[in-house]
Amino acid sequence: MRTATRRAGGDALCYPPDDRYPAPMTTAIIVHGGAGPARSDDDAEAARQGCLLAARAGYAVLARGGSALDAVEEAVRTLEDDPQFNAGIGSCLTADGDVEMDASLMEGATLRAGAVALVRGVRNPIRLARCVMERTPHLFLAGEGAMRLAREQGLPILSPAELITPRALARWREAKAKGAASPSGGTVGAVALDAHGHLAAATSTGGMNGKWSGRIGDTPVIGAGTYADDAGGAASATGHGEAILRVGLTRMVVAQLCAGAEAQSAAEVGLGALARIGGEGGVIVIDRSGRVGCAFNTARMSHAFIDATGAEGSGFLP
Amino acid sequence: MRTATRRAGGDALCYPPDDRYPAPMTTAIIVHGGAGPARSDDDAEAARQGCLLAARAGYAVLARGGSALDAVEEAVRTLEDDPQFNAGIGSCLTADGDVEMDASLMEGATLRAGAVALVRGVRNPIRLARCVMERTPHLFLAGEGAMRLAREQGLPILSPAELITPRALARWREAKAKGAASPSGGTVGAVALDAHGHLAAATSTGGMNGKWSGRIGDTPVIGAGTYADDAGGAASATGHGEAILRVGLTRMVVAQLCAGAEAQSAAEVGLGALARIGGEGGVIVIDRSGRVGCAFNTARMSHAFIDATGAEGSGFLP
């Protein structure tokens, strides 16, 4: 394992990128399909395959010289459209039986970001998060204000019948019977490094099964669910949103990368902080050299990557 | 100036508190009334006085052995009730002419936190944020879901006529004429250390004058507007919310404190990161030894403190 160059001073925030660090001429992507409770082996294998397809979709963007931001948006859009994941089609339901989705993305070159929360019916919340970043004076829009932007931008809006899957409905009935919200897993995310040396991260979710209407988790929160800074790396988180918010998981992981940690080590330090407050979840990471990292403390976390050497990898067990 | 003890390893996150650090038997509080553009000298002096009253209200809680969390809630509640500030009564308006308020608080001993966004009519959003923390399974509720909790908990709900001040209305008409949102200043916040060695922070705002409906700024975001960790310190931010979100300002300042920085130095490092992306704002800080810090790069930021020696201070100029 190579040791990352340690930045003099070890600032927690390294933007703007320091030209002492030459941009790597390599690309990498890692995606996740959520950290969560054990599913059947068949379900886990299907989620692994879904992640691999999304990683390839994002990698195709990188391979033709596209930006990391375009790559993570494409990978997450692919996962939102796959009904087995808890994001876009297949999102879990609130206690009231509605779908309220959250998403965010961030560009490491500029620290620009976009986020949406509590959006209903929008087929691809990650596209709406990008619209917030690029077409509004704001970073974070929620609820009806976000929906208004979706309509203005002509984004596809689905009916509940198109968005809700039989599986999501069955899980909602279980939660309803228990009378409690439960971590449902299946949040999706992607992190990429492009050939220009730029990093990006994106995350999207339907949230927690049976959550209170109006609940916002870590996914749309910059520094909790998503963070990217070209001077260190980028990360996307999944798991118990309330715990991830309390530790500021991705902001912390990227601060570790800025201080010289490599991707896997930074992911593990972040998970250690999450575990110290009893939180369960996982995080995927790419550092500025293109090394990928993935750590989680749940039963399973489906993930797939194509690393700086072009090698594919995927799995769901620790 | 004493030098803070440097924590071995300098972890970005230090929870749980390390018993190598004896709890200080001292108390301190600092409050702010927002970083923003120049107002008249009379307005600035009135805001300074308002901050001083709020600092005393919070300090009274600490003096009778109350918790830092109770103290910051009391100080922020006082500022929300003061119509000259942009929080609670006196909040600025959205482009649509509605009031949509955001607030959050965090307890350094446990890293527990509560936050609300886009709440309408609630007299004291900071009380609602505390209800989210203590009476729900969630950390962050927004919009109608948050309003439902306010009604269930019997919190006072005001009509628009009670909540909107002539000044907020005049500013809204100005923004409407210009057709653009503008930083209005007047966000409020408080940070305290109690006699048990526990820290807390709280922040509340009406947001940006003329903001899009549904816009969420830094104030309700744990790690952006508000953060507290007994192992380092606590902080509350104010200013251009989108920029503060991008750097994760309070999370970064508290990470500096955890790494051994003292309060004023950590505040200045945070402001440096904000300035590097062109952001304007300010931050108040208390470290675990009870030293207070305040830094801002706007024309003015009203603030007041009662420090570990019992001395009062207040001002609005750099």
Side-chain angles (χ1 to χ4, degrees):
Chain A
M1 191 180 296
R2 287 175 296 160
T3 306
T5 310
R6 185 164 294 274
R7 182 188 172 86
D11 282 1
L13 183 89
C14 309
Y15 180 85
D18 187 325
D19 59 12
R20 287 175 294 182
Y21 293 84
M25 297 305 292
T26 186
T27 60
I29 188 165
I30 180 165
V31 309
H32 68 78
R39 300 179 176 192
S40 73
D41 287 350
D42 284 353
D43 282 355
E45 173 56 21
R48 185 187 69 78
Q49 290 285 352
C51 286
L52 199 50
L53 291 178
R56 288 174 186 158
Y59 195 78
V61 174
L62 300 173
R64 61 174 183 259
S67 71
L69 191 67
D70 285 340
V72 294
E73 184 186 344
E74 178 64 17
V76 167
R77 200 194 51 70
T78 303
L79 293 159
E80 285 174 340
D81 283 347
D82 185 333
Q84 71 182 311
F85 297 107
N86 173 23
I89 295 167
S91 283
C92 68
L93 307 177
T94 68
D96 295 343
D98 295 312
V99 172
E100 292 184 347
M101 297 170 290
D102 304 338
S104 66
L105 44 67
M106 185 165 188
E107 175 177 84
T110 59
L111 300 186
R112 288 198 309 162
V116 293
L118 310 177
V119 299
R120 300 182 175 200
V122 174
R123 176 170 172 157
N124 294 112
I126 200 67
R127 287 186 62 191
L128 185 55
R130 180 134 183 203
C131 287
V132 174
M133 171 174 143
E134 296 184 336
R135 297 173 197 180
T136 83
H138 299 313
L139 184 149
F140 191 1
L141 287 181
E144 182 48 36
M147 295 302 300
R148 193 193 291 184
L149 179 67
R151 288 189 293 267
E152 283 173 4
Q153 296 292 325
L155 298 191
I157 310 278
L158 304 182
S159 66
E162 292 168 300
L163 204 58
I164 298 172
T165 59
R167 172 147 59 178
L169 204 56
R171 288 190 178 153
W172 177 75
R173 291 187 199 281
E174 282 168 31
K176 198 78 182 164
K178 280 189 215 158
S182 61
S184 44
T187 292
V188 306
V191 179
L193 171 68
D194 66 31
H196 314 286
H198 299 314
L199 289 140
T203 316
S204 181
T205 193
M208 187 182 276
N209 185 29
K211 67 186 179 182
W212 291 26
S213 176
R215 178 261 191 183
I216 298 177
D218 64 299
T219 299
V221 172
I222 296 305
T226 302
Y227 205 77
D229 180 346
D230 272 9
S236 166
T238 166
H240 185 219
E242 281 73 10
I244 293 170
L245 280 164
R246 288 163 61 200
V247 300
L249 182 57
T250 55
R251 183 71 183 79
M252 181 188 177
V253 165
V254 173
Q256 294 284 322
L257 297 171
C258 286
E262 61 102 43
Q264 185 60 31
S265 148
E268 288 168 9
V269 168
L271 257 286
L274 188 65
R276 278 204 289 283
I277 61 162
E280 296 200 322
V283 65
I284 55 172
V285 183
I286 297 184
D287 63 30
R288 59 188 313 288
S289 303
R291 289 169 294 201
V292 300
C294 175
F296 53 104
N297 64 358
T298 48
R300 287 179 173 171
M301 176 166 153
S302 56
H303 57 278
F305 60 86
I306 303 174
D307 73 12
T309 68
E312 280 188 354
S314 62
F316 49 78
L317 291 173
Chain B
M1 191 179 295
R2 288 175 296 159
T3 305
T5 310
R6 185 165 294 274
R7 184 187 170 86
D11 284 0
L13 183 89
C14 309
Y15 180 85
D18 187 326
D19 59 13
R20 287 175 293 181
Y21 294 83
M25 298 305 292
T26 186
T27 59
I29 189 165
I30 181 166
V31 310
H32 69 77
R39 299 178 176 191
S40 73
D41 287 350
D42 284 354
D43 282 355
E45 173 57 20
R48 186 188 68 79
Q49 290 286 352
C51 286
L52 199 50
L53 290 178
R56 288 175 185 158
Y59 195 77
V61 173
L62 300 173
R64 59 174 183 259
S67 71
L69 191 68
D70 285 340
V72 294
E73 183 187 343
E74 178 63 18
V76 167
R77 199 195 50 70
T78 304
L79 292 160
E80 286 174 339
D81 284 346
D82 186 332
Q84 71 181 310
F85 297 108
N86 173 22
I89 295 168
S91 284
C92 67
L93 306 178
T94 69
D96 295 343
D98 296 312
V99 172
E100 292 183 348
M101 297 170 289
D102 303 339
S104 67
L105 45 67
M106 185 165 188
E107 175 176 84
T110 59
L111 300 186
R112 289 198 308 162
V116 293
L118 310 177
V119 299
R120 299 182 175 199
V122 174
R123 176 170 172 158
N124 294 111
I126 200 66
R127 287 186 62 190
L128 185 56
R130 181 133 184 204
C131 287
V132 173
M133 171 174 143
E134 296 184 336
R135 297 172 198 180
T136 83
H138 300 313
L139 184 148
F140 192 0
L141 286 181
E144 181 48 35
M147 294 301 300
R148 193 194 290 184
L149 179 66
R151 289 188 293 267
E152 282 172 4
Q153 296 292 325
L155 298 190
I157 311 279
L158 303 182
S159 65
E162 293 168 300
L163 204 57
I164 298 172
T165 59
R167 172 146 61 177
L169 204 56
R171 288 189 178 156
W172 178 75
R173 291 187 199 280
E174 283 168 29
K176 198 78 181 167
K178 280 189 215 159
S182 61
S184 43
T187 291
V188 306
V191 179
L193 171 68
D194 66 31
H196 314 286
H198 300 315
L199 288 139
T203 315
S204 181
T205 193
M208 187 182 277
N209 185 29
K211 66 186 178 182
W212 291 25
S213 177
R215 178 260 191 183
I216 297 178
D218 63 299
T219 299
V221 172
I222 296 305
T226 302
Y227 205 76
D229 180 346
D230 273 7
S236 167
T238 166
H240 185 219
E242 281 74 9
I244 293 169
L245 280 164
R246 288 163 61 200
V247 299
L249 183 57
T250 54
R251 183 73 185 79
M252 181 188 178
V253 165
V254 172
Q256 294 284 323
L257 297 172
C258 286
E262 61 103 43
Q264 184 60 29
S265 149
E268 287 167 11
V269 169
L271 256 285
L274 188 66
R276 277 203 291 283
I277 60 162
E280 296 201 323
V283 64
I284 55 172
V285 183
I286 297 184
D287 64 28
R288 59 189 313 290
S289 303
R291 288 169 295 199
V292 301
C294 176
F296 53 105
N297 64 357
T298 48
R300 287 179 173 171
M301 176 167 153
S302 56
H303 58 279
F305 60 86
I306 303 174
D307 73 12
T309 68
E312 280 188 354
S314 62
F316 49 77
L317 291 174

